[in-house]
Amino acid sequence: MLVTGSSLRWVTVAPEGESRELSRAGSGLELPAIEPRQLAIGAGVVVVGILLARLVRVMVRWWLARRHTPSYARVFSTLAAFLLGALAVGAGLTVAFPSVQPVDVLGGLGIVSVAIGIAFQNVLANLFAGVIILVREPFTAGDQIAVGATQGTVEEVNLRETVVRTFDGRRVLVPNSTVHGEVLTVQTGYAHIRTTVTIGVDYSTDLGRARSIALDAVRRVPGVADDPPPECLLTELAPSTINFDLRFWSGARQLEALETRDRVIETVARALIDAKIDMPADIRVVQPSPDLLAAIHRRSAEERTGDRPDEDR
């Protein structure tokens, strides 16, 4: 404590060692000076890295396109360019700000990645599902698939969705997570698919002759595969017909299968008609209710006795 004139003043004197530590701590809070030369070099590193990333994208896409599908090459070349660009940005920041250590940058990126993952869960789910689809390649562009209520031809697969053109000409974007997580039917996964046509003949029909005529007719239809061969199997004793399933194999694409089915039905029906084999319609038995039976009997009795209401005379 010092006394100066009529005023009192408290003065705290720190030991010499503590004053040095405080000075060091205070100097540690000071940010280093930013040099324009370092900023220019860092910006140059970023620019060169981005240009190199674009070049790598073109080269990787060309190289992958020779071995994989166009969608595969496009997506993975984009990912390679993105990773190289991110490394260039990190290197540029390190050069421009020497006090920023790579470990600090990685730590900051880790925190940002966690925040992005929480905020964009659906986006990341679609991204990872798209990568899995492209690596596994359960289908490619041009295949016809069915997932959920969507059926159509695949146009492309990107990092977010699978683009499908439906059979009635609509463009549908199916999220990759849906494609990867639900039951997926690839109609063109094999060269041929089987189609079944049910035919019913009269009970008095010679079944062996009807079977032979149907099979001969199917074999003549363009588009029906020879291997596996067509089959004709009896399946049901219906109320008015004996039914058999006519099974044949055709091309897997939707339009091709429908056109072949149309030709098979027309050819087989004409062959059975020409052979005088009857294909009767379903027989339906109508059982009247008791009230209806009573009304019918009453009406019949009135007509026999001639006692009809005046409005009927």
Side-chain angles (χ1 to χ4, degrees):
M1 182 180 65
L2 297 179
V3 180
T4 305
S6 60
S7 62
L8 296 177
R9 188 172 53 169
W10 290 91
V11 177
T12 303
V13 180
E16 182 179 357
E18 294 183 7
S19 63
R20 290 179 181 177
E21 294 296 332
L22 291 174
S23 63
R24 291 178 183 175
S27 62
L29 296 175
E30 295 178 359
L31 295 176
I34 299 176
E35 298 182 3
R37 182 171 176 272
Q38 292 177 340
L39 286 177
I41 296 175
V45 171
V46 173
V47 172
V48 172
I50 292 176
L51 294 177
L52 184 60
R54 292 187 176 182
L55 178 61
V56 168
R57 178 181 181 182
V58 174
M59 295 179 61
V60 171
R61 185 170 183 175
W62 171 79
W63 184 74
L64 291 176
R66 300 173 57 187
R67 297 167 173 79
H68 300 278
T69 62
S71 297
Y72 185 100
R74 181 178 61 256
V75 169
F76 282 96
S77 62
T78 301
L79 288 177
F82 176 79
L83 291 177
L84 184 57
L87 290 176
V89 171
L93 290 175
T94 303
V95 172
F97 305 100
S99 61
V100 179
Q101 299 298 322
V103 176
D104 299 332
V105 175
L106 293 177
L109 290 177
I111 296 175
V112 172
S113 300
V114 172
I116 292 176
I118 296 175
F120 300 97
Q121 296 182 24
N122 293 333
V123 175
L124 293 177
N126 291 327
L127 188 148
F128 290 125
V131 171
I132 293 174
I133 291 172
L134 289 171
V135 171
R136 293 181 55 205
E137 290 188 347
F139 56 85
T140 59
D143 279 332
Q144 294 182 342
I145 66 172
V147 52
T150 302
Q151 299 180 1
T153 304
V154 177
E155 291 190 339
E156 67 170 314
V157 180
N158 53 49
L159 286 176
R160 185 182 182 278
E161 70 265 333
T162 299
V163 182
V164 178
R165 178 183 174 88
T166 61
F167 295 128
D168 55 358
R170 292 179 172 84
R171 180 182 175 91
V172 179
L173 307 180
V174 184
N176 287 331
S177 58
T178 301
V179 177
H180 182 260
E182 293 192 2
V183 176
L184 173 70
T185 301
V186 183
Q187 182 169 328
T188 52
Y190 300 104
H192 297 92
I193 61 173
R194 192 185 70 188
T195 304
T196 301
V197 175
T198 301
I199 298 176
V201 297
D202 190 77
Y203 271 83
S204 61
T205 302
D206 184 347
L207 298 180
R209 177 169 173 265
R211 190 199 305 259
S212 176
I213 292 173
L215 287 175
D216 290 341
V218 171
R219 294 190 185 101
R220 297 194 304 268
V221 175
V224 174
D226 296 329
D227 186 23
E231 296 177 317
C232 185
L233 304 175
L234 296 173
T235 57
E236 184 183 10
L237 296 175
S240 57
T241 58
I242 299 177
N243 296 338
F244 57 84
D245 284 347
L246 191 59
R247 300 179 179 182
F248 58 92
W249 295 77
S250 64
R253 304 195 72 82
Q254 178 81 353
L255 181 59
E256 186 177 0
L258 290 176
E259 290 177 344
T260 304
R261 177 188 176 94
D262 174 81
R263 291 192 294 265
V264 165
I265 293 176
E266 181 181 2
T267 303
V268 172
R270 185 185 302 114
L272 294 177
I273 292 173
D274 293 342
K276 307 300 183 183
I277 295 178
D278 191 19
M279 294 177 287
D282 289 341
I283 298 175
R284 299 183 181 275
V285 178
V286 179
Q287 295 182 349
S289 64
D291 293 339
L292 179 59
L293 287 175
I296 292 174
H297 292 324
R298 185 170 56 254
R299 182 70 175 182
S300 299
E302 292 173 352
E303 290 180 352
R304 285 195 303 269
T305 59
D307 185 12
R308 291 180 297 174
D310 294 338
E311 59 271 12
D312 294 340
R313 294 178 180 177

